[in-house]
């Protein structure tokens, strides 16, 4: 079965850093583009960062550009999000997404909570 399991979330102070991980199994990880989405209270889910299947291309939302870094290790079937200079508005549930673009197949994790608060 397909599984995407996020980890690394928690409570962090403004200006702090955290690294999220997404462990994947049950599909050919190296053929899928991977993304991080987030959903803040009362808001729609939004794309935060995306990385191509082999990791050569990355894209970021303007709100996180320069502060977040997405990466992946295909040998470990794992994707990461390094988050720095965190702000209260970064508070959200962060979701891992896998997409096989030729057929638009999407898989989702259950999310991990990141709370930025003094």
């Amino acid at each position: 079965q397909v599984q995407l399991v996020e980890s690394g979330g928690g409570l962090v102070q403004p200006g702090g850093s955290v690294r999220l991980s997404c462990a994947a199994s049950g599909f050919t990880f190296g053929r899928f583009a991977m993304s991080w989405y987030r959903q803040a209270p009362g808001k729609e889910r939004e794309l935060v960062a995306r990385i191509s299947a082999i990791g050569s291309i990355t894209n970021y939302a303007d709100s996180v550009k320069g502060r977040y870094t997405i990466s992946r290790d295909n040998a470990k079937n794992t994707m990461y999000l390094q988050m720095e200079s965190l702000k209260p508005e970064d508070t959200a549930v962060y979701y891992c997404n896998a997409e096989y673009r030729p057929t638009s197949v999407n898989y989702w994790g259950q999310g991990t909570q990141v709370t930025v608060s003094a």
Side-chain angles (χ1 to χ4, degrees):
Q1 70 277 25
V2 170
Q3 288 191 9
L4 294 172
V5 181
E6 301 95 336
S7 62
L11 178 64
V12 61
Q13 299 291 313
S17 300
V18 69
R19 187 175 78 154
L20 305 183
S21 298
C22 172
S25 60
F27 65 99
T28 307
F29 181 79
R31 304 296 293 267
F32 282 67
M34 299 294 298
S35 298
W36 288 99
Y37 287 75
R38 69 185 180 188
Q39 188 166 25
K43 299 184 67 177
E44 295 294 309
R45 188 174 298 187
E46 65 172 342
L47 176 65
V48 174
R50 177 169 286 156
I51 186 166
S52 60
I54 63 171
S56 58
I57 302 171
T58 59
N59 299 98
Y60 299 91
D62 288 343
S63 59
V64 308
K65 196 169 297 181
R67 299 187 299 120
Y68 290 14
T69 303
I70 189 171
S71 61
R72 65 191 295 164
D73 186 340
N74 286 357
K76 296 182 178 179
N77 286 359
T78 304
M79 175 182 63
Y80 306 95
L81 186 68
Q82 180 69 39
M83 307 163 64
E84 299 177 334
S85 302
L86 286 165
K87 307 172 181 179
E89 51 262 45
D90 294 318
T91 296
V93 178
Y94 283 73
Y95 296 92
C96 177
N97 170 265
E99 181 185 7
Y100 183 62
R101 296 194 167 191
T103 57
S104 298
V105 170
N106 276 271
Y107 303 126
W108 292 91
Q110 66 182 26
T112 185
Q113 176 73 46
V114 175
T115 301
V116 184
S117 180

